[in-house]
Amino acid sequence: MPQLPLSPGSTLGILGGGQLGRMLSQAASRLGFDVVILDPEPDCPAARVSRAQITAPYDDPDALQALGRLCDVVTFEFENVPALSVEQLAEAGALVAPGPTALAVAQDRVDEKTYLNAVGAPTVDFAAVTALDDLTAAIDQLGLPALLKTRREGYDGKGQVWIRDAADAEAAFDAIGRRSAVLEAAAVFNRELSVIAARGHDGAVAVYPLGENIHANGVLKTTLAPADVDATTQARAHQIAAAVLDGLDYVGVMGIELFDMGEGVLLVNEVAPRVHNTGHWTQDGCVCDQFEQHIRAVAGWPLGPTQAHARIEMTNLLGDEVDQWRALAAEPHARLHLYGKAEARAGRKMAHVNRIL
């Protein structure tokens, strides 16, 4: 195991080479670290701003061994990296942060909700579903409407379907491929909020101001931060974040999506054991953004400040919306962050713009 804190010139490994890996690599470079990316896609966006790329599947044992040898610490940019790969790295002696436990919990929606409630971070009522009979029983238990989600994988609205009539249960189960699932009770909430929080190797926790999120077609469209919330709501979000991070002995940045039920009551929708789309506003609203914060945490550095020095509206650019780059680059109070993706497919996250309000 390397000695912490890691000194500049050390090497960080990142499992995943998309936009989050790219922005993590850029932050690591600013702090004097070298970065090696492991991703199956040749010349992925993160690799083009990093020292090297290992091009291989995430579960390739030779590639994992090579990554562990090259790097002083290994992290990941998305939660669908196989938890077993992270376990194998850790068992081989590599320092991996966050650890495999957090990843495994976040990859299973039933395990995730069970864990959250156990540490005092309440969620909507839910029931596990493995067969059509389970779904029928869960509908009787939770009532309708209810949201059926695949138990594993699925993001940006994928792998989920609303059930509004009991007669539609079988069609909904078919729509998700009759996979193991979770049925969630509907939450009558005022708005969705999110909190970005970090925890260091020493147990220190740093929490950013809340953001307010707007979705379109199941995909995040905008985040406004700091959100207009009272002190009670902000304090409750801080309490939830600390409980979730401490319970997992977590190291790194985590995104936590919340339902604002009013009067300071928050329910956790889901957690992401990584830097998060709803935290992109920190790049232009804070001295230490979420990407630098994550690098600091996994490298054993002191956590940076989380106070906002500006209010930001972050907007995702999906598909051919990225073609507006000229106009966006000309806006005096806007900062454009392009991901370097070659193909602008419909619904694909290609960039975001932070507008200073």
Side-chain angles (χ1 to χ4, degrees):
M1 285 285 185
Q3 184 175 353
L4 297 176
L6 296 183
S7 60
S10 299
T11 300
L12 277 64
I14 301 176
L15 294 164
Q19 68 265 19
L20 299 179
R22 182 183 178 97
M23 289 182 278
L24 282 169
S25 183
Q26 290 168 326
S29 296
R30 289 198 305 273
L31 298 181
F33 296 114
D34 291 332
V35 176
V36 177
I37 302 296
L38 173 59
D39 192 282
E41 178 189 333
D43 196 33
C44 61
R48 296 201 299 277
V49 297
S50 302
R51 190 186 82 186
Q53 175 180 359
I54 298 171
T55 305
Y58 297 120
D59 58 358
D60 184 306
D62 293 334
L64 291 169
Q65 188 176 58
L67 186 70
R69 282 197 310 267
L70 286 169
C71 300
D72 298 291
V73 64
V74 178
T75 189
F76 45 86
E77 65 135 17
F78 73 121
E79 61 267 45
N80 287 333
V81 169
L84 182 59
S85 296
V86 177
E87 289 176 15
Q88 289 172 343
L89 280 164
E91 289 170 359
L95 177 59
V96 184
T101 301
L103 185 59
V105 167
Q107 286 180 343
D108 185 304
R109 289 188 170 90
V110 173
D111 290 348
E112 177 187 64
K113 285 181 165 51
T114 301
Y115 166 75
L116 289 169
N117 284 283
V119 297
T123 69
V124 296
D125 291 336
F126 66 96
V129 172
T130 57
L132 184 58
D133 287 347
D134 297 330
L135 179 56
T136 302
I139 289 172
D140 290 341
Q141 174 190 342
L142 301 178
L144 294 176
L147 184 59
L148 182 67
K149 295 180 178 179
T150 54
R151 185 161 173 166
R152 301 178 68 85
E153 300 181 341
Y155 60 94
D156 288 345
K158 300 178 179 68
Q160 62 184 53
V161 59
W162 279 98
I163 302 175
R164 303 185 186 281
D165 189 300
D168 298 330
E170 186 166 9
F173 200 36
D174 287 339
I176 64 166
R178 291 184 171 252
R179 298 165 63 189
S180 293
V182 60
L183 188 70
E184 300 179 0
V188 183
F189 57 92
N190 295 332
R191 54 183 172 171
E192 184 190 282
L193 301 171
S194 58
V195 60
I196 305 300
R199 185 175 182 274
H201 287 279
D202 61 356
V205 173
V207 181
Y208 288 92
L210 285 161
E212 180 175 351
N213 307 316
I214 305 295
H215 290 78
N217 300 316
V219 181
L220 179 70
K221 188 57 184 174
T222 63
T223 295
L224 179 65
D228 184 12
V229 298
D230 57 31
T232 300
T233 302
Q234 181 67 47
R236 178 61 180 141
H238 192 134
Q239 183 183 41
I240 286 171
V244 173
L245 294 172
D246 287 341
L248 292 169
D249 195 20
Y250 191 87
V251 175
V253 164
M254 175 181 283
I256 303 175
E257 296 177 2
L258 303 162
F259 294 139
D260 180 6
M261 309 301 289
E263 298 182 353
V265 176
L266 298 173
L267 299 181
V268 180
N269 179 26
E270 60 184 26
V271 303
R274 53 170 170 81
V275 288
H276 198 254
N277 197 169
T278 63
H280 291 352
W281 71 272
T282 62
Q283 290 173 297
D284 299 293
C286 301
V287 170
C288 179
D289 66 39
Q290 66 164 342
F291 299 100
E292 178 179 328
Q293 192 76 286
H294 187 79
I295 300 301
R296 282 171 170 259
V298 303
W301 286 31
L303 298 181
T306 56
Q307 299 88 348
H309 59 68
R311 199 168 195 225
I312 302 292
E313 181 185 72
M314 186 285 301
T315 302
N316 278 327
L317 301 181
L318 307 178
D320 60 8
E321 291 175 346
V322 74
D323 294 339
Q324 304 167 24
W325 64 266
R326 274 193 180 86
L328 293 168
E331 288 188 27
H333 298 293
R335 190 167 181 227
L336 184 61
H337 299 263
L338 295 158
Y339 301 156
K341 295 182 178 179
E343 183 184 358
R345 297 193 299 269
R348 191 184 195 193
K349 293 174 182 175
M350 299 298 295
H352 67 270
V353 60
N354 283 334
R355 291 182 172 89
I356 301 172
L357 301 181

